[in-house]
Amino acid sequence: MSNISNLWAHTNAEGIESQRLSSNKEADLVVIGAGFTGCSAALEAARSSSSVVVLEADTVSHGGSGRNVGLVNAGLWLPPDDVVAIMGESAGNRLIEALGKGPDTVFSLVKEFGIACDAVQNGTLHLAHAPNGFQELRERYRQGNRFGAPLQLLDRDETISRTGSDQFHGALLDPRAGTVQPRAYCSGLARAAVGLGARIYQQSPVTRVERKNGAWCVHANDHTVTAPRLLLATNAYHQLADGAYAPEYVLVSYSQFATAPLTQGQRSRILPGREGCWDTALVMSSIRTDENGRLIVGGMGNVDGPAASIHANWARRKLRRLYPDLGELPFEHQWQGKIAMTKDHIPKVVEFGPSAYAVFGYSGRGISPGTMIGAAAAKALLDAGPEVLPLPVIKKYSERFKKVMGAYYEFGVSLTHATRPGLLG
């Protein structure tokens, strides 16, 4: 196993010059966190000729934005009827409609700013891991098309042709969606924002936040950024700071394993259309390829935690089951990221003070929603008002038993990966 863990960091061709906050600054908007949400907000602010400063504790896209699968989906993990049941008809329909346009927004930004992120808009495949999984896909197909989504239900033979594996019972194709190299996409957003005048400071962890004289004062590296508006965009990688709002969510880990590059013959039959895929199993897993022909197998669980060997062994069994001829192909990279899961799986925009929003809780769907909600949050704070956001702004949000639930999920996933050798694990 290579010690170069995160494939996306290894192959990232985008980025900005790294600089730390080294003097006091003033801006129209200060953003904490340089992931999809924060970089999209910075780009939107810069495009509107507003001054914006982004403070990042580590490096751009260090968190979940640089560690996820890279699926650019048109919606949330929940089926549409569940979104409406949770949010109400008006708010639910509005969010569904807005996020349905998410992939086009992402790929348009990629094209506009020439972001080198291996962008492929050939759709995504939701794979039926079992016959009951195909019944679930039938229902998602019915709901999605009722809401205007151009979904296609694929039979087993078509699914075999598209995946190169006979282990699935059908699939749901969303042609609006696609894949990107996520770290490169986020880094490209940062580069585009800086090119338009945004100031992004890396290695600048926030230590204190306070409200003073009608403005927000955000302290990092013994210096202060002062702005009338504040956006907290740390999601699952939030670090505690004195006086700062602390978003609440359950942490869930997701790990990935990338093989050595496939041969041309293997690439011609394994995901030849380069769709990104995930399955219907309760303990979800994913497969996709990158531009160099690596096959990337992903699954819930923390490969950097105590159950690392269990998850790594599961990935090997998974590869053998899906593609027997690849069973011994070495994994050259493995890495994990953290997901901020909310109890209803709906993202949150919390107004925690005057002209201050916290955006978090994408529950594993961060690329399109993060891009869209980040830009909309910047617009809203820069005087357009909350009406431009695709979901309601709330005053508070809490999660009960956060640590217990996080441990429960990891234990359940580890048990499944240890005891179920097939597609269920």
Side-chain angles (χ1 to χ4, degrees):
M1 182 67 64
S2 170
N3 288 323
I4 304 173
S5 54
N6 187 343
L7 171 66
W8 305 138
H10 180 59
T11 60
N12 182 14
E14 283 283 358
I16 59 173
E17 181 180 348
S18 181
Q19 55 179 321
R20 303 170 73 250
L21 182 69
S22 58
S23 63
N24 296 336
K25 303 293 181 183
E26 293 185 354
D28 297 318
L29 171 67
V30 57
V31 179
I32 303 174
F36 298 130
T37 304
C39 291
S40 180
L43 177 57
E44 179 59 38
R47 293 178 92 170
S48 68
S49 300
S50 297
S51 58
V52 56
V53 168
V54 181
L55 297 174
E56 165 57 45
D58 202 286
T59 57
V60 169
S61 71
H62 167 78
S65 298
R67 300 167 186 269
N68 66 52
V69 180
L71 303 184
V72 185
N73 284 303
L76 302 175
W77 178 74
L78 296 171
D81 283 359
D82 288 6
V83 175
V84 171
I86 292 166
M87 300 184 68
E89 186 170 358
S90 177
N93 287 344
R94 184 180 179 209
L95 182 61
I96 291 166
E97 181 180 1
L99 295 185
K101 302 172 184 176
D104 281 346
T105 298
V106 168
F107 291 108
S108 292
L109 288 170
V110 169
K111 184 177 181 180
E112 179 180 358
F113 293 103
I115 300 174
C117 63
D118 185 25
V120 179
Q121 195 175 9
N122 283 350
T124 54
L125 296 172
H126 195 175
L127 302 170
H129 76 291
N132 65 340
F134 192 66
Q135 294 308 310
E136 176 189 336
L137 296 184
R138 283 185 183 275
E139 179 59 21
R140 286 180 177 264
Y141 170 76
R142 182 188 68 80
Q143 291 183 29
N145 281 300
R146 196 177 73 247
F147 281 87
L151 306 179
Q152 300 172 32
L153 196 62
L154 309 182
D155 63 18
R156 186 173 184 273
D157 288 343
E158 178 67 14
T159 303
I160 291 173
S161 176
R162 286 177 178 265
T163 62
S165 174
D166 63 2
Q167 294 299 302
F168 301 106
H169 297 260
L172 189 62
L173 169 68
D174 189 339
R176 300 169 295 179
T179 59
V180 293
Q181 206 276 38
R183 192 178 184 104
Y185 169 63
C186 185
S187 300
L189 290 179
R191 188 253 302 160
V194 169
L196 292 175
R199 292 166 287 174
I200 299 178
Y201 299 102
Q202 304 178 84
Q203 303 296 334
S204 301
V206 172
T207 53
R208 183 159 54 96
V209 176
E210 59 184 336
R211 182 82 177 166
K212 185 185 298 183
N213 299 324
W216 291 99
C217 300
V218 182
H219 303 268
N221 295 349
D222 296 321
H223 299 285
T224 304
V225 178
T226 303
R229 305 164 188 88
L230 169 62
L231 177 62
L232 182 67
T234 51
N235 204 38
Y237 287 76
H238 183 73
Q239 297 183 12
L240 294 177
D242 290 344
Y245 173 81
E248 295 195 15
Y249 43 74
V250 174
L251 279 176
V252 177
S253 293
Y254 198 89
S255 295
Q256 296 181 78
F257 306 81
T259 69
L262 307 183
T263 66
Q264 284 299 325
Q266 292 166 337
R267 295 175 70 171
S268 69
R269 65 178 177 82
I270 295 173
L271 295 172
R274 298 204 53 205
E275 301 95 339
C277 310
W278 77 103
D279 64 27
T280 55
L282 180 61
V283 179
M284 189 195 80
S285 61
S286 60
I287 52 173
R288 64 161 295 187
T289 57
D290 77 345
E291 63 182 336
N292 296 310
R294 299 179 181 90
L295 181 66
I296 304 161
V297 177
M300 296 175 67
N302 183 4
V303 79
D304 287 342
S309 61
I310 291 175
H311 300 313
N313 289 335
W314 164 84
R316 176 57 59 189
R317 296 196 311 272
K318 185 80 169 181
L319 183 63
R320 289 171 180 158
R321 182 71 179 266
L322 292 177
Y323 303 106
D325 61 319
L326 304 184
E328 305 313 313
L329 191 66
F331 287 125
E332 293 187 339
H333 303 268
Q334 69 175 36
W335 69 99
Q336 65 89 26
K338 294 183 288 188
I339 294 169
M341 188 82 71
T342 60
K343 54 181 175 284
D344 60 7
H345 307 303
I346 302 287
K348 308 301 172 192
V349 180
V350 177
E351 185 177 24
F352 61 87
S355 299
Y357 291 161
V359 179
F360 60 94
Y362 295 115
S363 299
R365 287 292 180 93
I367 298 180
S368 290
T371 299
M372 298 191 73
I373 296 174
K379 286 182 181 179
L381 288 168
L382 292 166
D383 302 327
E387 296 79 14
V388 300
L389 282 154
L391 73 172
V393 176
I394 57 180
K395 294 294 185 182
K396 59 182 179 179
Y397 180 77
S398 62
E399 287 273 350
R400 300 180 64 191
F401 310 119
K402 298 183 292 295
K403 290 185 178 180
V404 172
M405 290 303 297
Y408 170 78
Y409 283 132
E410 177 63 19
F411 174 78
V413 169
S414 300
L415 183 63
T416 299
H417 281 178
T419 60
R420 297 183 182 180
L423 287 176
L424 287 173

